[in-house]
Amino acid sequence: MFIDTLSVRDEELRSLLDRLRDEAAGSAAYDLLAATDDNEMLARVLVEPGRPLWAREIAAFRLGCAGDRRAFEALVLLLNHRDPERCVSAAHALAELNDPRTPRAAAALATNTLRTAYALHPVRLLTTLRAPEAVPALVATLRRLLAPGEPHWRVALACVEGLGRLGDGRARPVLTAALPHPRLGAAAEEALSRLPGA
């Protein structure tokens, strides 16, 4: 395939293309979308009916990394996808896109009680963005996930780690509440040590 000889500098793009090669099943559109520098063509892929998900993902990722805000809606949908690898790629592209709507969208996904199973990457993206929405969203999500019997401990752990990285004193009460949790205690202790006045 053409992409095998394409010089791809961005390792995230290379990883995405490697992942989607089999899904594209030899489609000529795969090579075209991987190689083109035509943002107008990529943008059309996002709105044309009948385009497969892999094609939309390549187009959205490439536009997002190029700073083209036409990718925003598609990337937000991919950020909340059931496939974690799609979420990872979408989070990377959204961080590159630097759209002012991204923190609010990521916070909405992170705090959506009906989509908690898919909140891991929105939580991590919020931490990366360090936007004003990040700490309130992570605190609210973690507080809810400390309830007895709550199964989404990986999302809770991402909240704990993110709050530690953000180093905001507003996180102290919820991080303190996380200390007794068997899967969160060590990370909560580390996060608390990073807060002001620790």
Side-chain angles (χ1 to χ4, degrees), residues 23-46:
E23 196 173 328
S27 170
Y30 170 86
D31 289 331
L32 181 60
L33 293 174
T36 186
D37 291 322
D38 185 350
N39 282 4
E40 296 305 316
M41 186 186 78
L42 293 170
R44 285 195 299 273
V45 169
L46 297 181

Side-chain angles (χ1 to χ4, degrees), residues 24-118:
S27 170
Y30 170 86
D31 289 331
L32 181 60
L33 293 174
T36 186
D37 291 322
D38 185 350
N39 282 4
E40 296 305 316
M41 186 186 78
L42 293 170
R44 285 195 299 273
V45 169
L46 297 181
V47 297
E48 288 173 352
R51 287 285 191 166
L53 181 57
W54 62 261
R56 295 183 191 277
E57 184 177 0
I58 293 173
F61 182 90
R62 297 203 61 209
L63 286 170
C65 290
D68 191 318
R69 291 182 179 175
R70 289 175 290 184
F72 175 76
E73 286 83 2
L75 289 172
V76 169
L77 288 173
L78 289 165
L79 181 64
N80 199 226
H81 198 274
R82 65 180 177 273
D83 181 350
E85 291 182 314
R86 286 197 153 101
C87 300
V88 170
S89 294
H92 175 83
L94 282 165
E96 292 287 315
L97 180 59
N98 198 29
D99 189 299
R101 297 170 291 177
T102 300
R104 188 166 59 252
L109 293 176
T111 57
N112 185 339
T113 58
L114 300 178
R115 301 290 292 175
T116 303
Y118 308 106

Side-chain angles (χ1 to χ4, degrees), residues 3 6 8 21 30 36 51 55 59 68 105 109 122 127 133 135 141 153 155 166 174 181 183 191 195:
I3 190 58
L6 181 66
V8 183
R21 182 183 288 115
Y30 170 86
T36 186
R51 287 285 191 166
D68 191 318
L109 293 176
T127 302
E133 293 87 347
V135 170
T141 301
W153 64 269
V155 177
L166 293 169
V174 74
H181 194 290
R183 285 177 161 148
L195 299 188

Side-chain angles (χ1 to χ4, degrees), residues 137-155:
L138 268 58
V139 165
T141 301
L142 178 57
R143 184 178 295 117
R144 176 167 49 82
L145 295 180
L146 292 178
E150 172 57 56
H152 302 295
W153 64 269
R154 288 182 179 84
V155 177

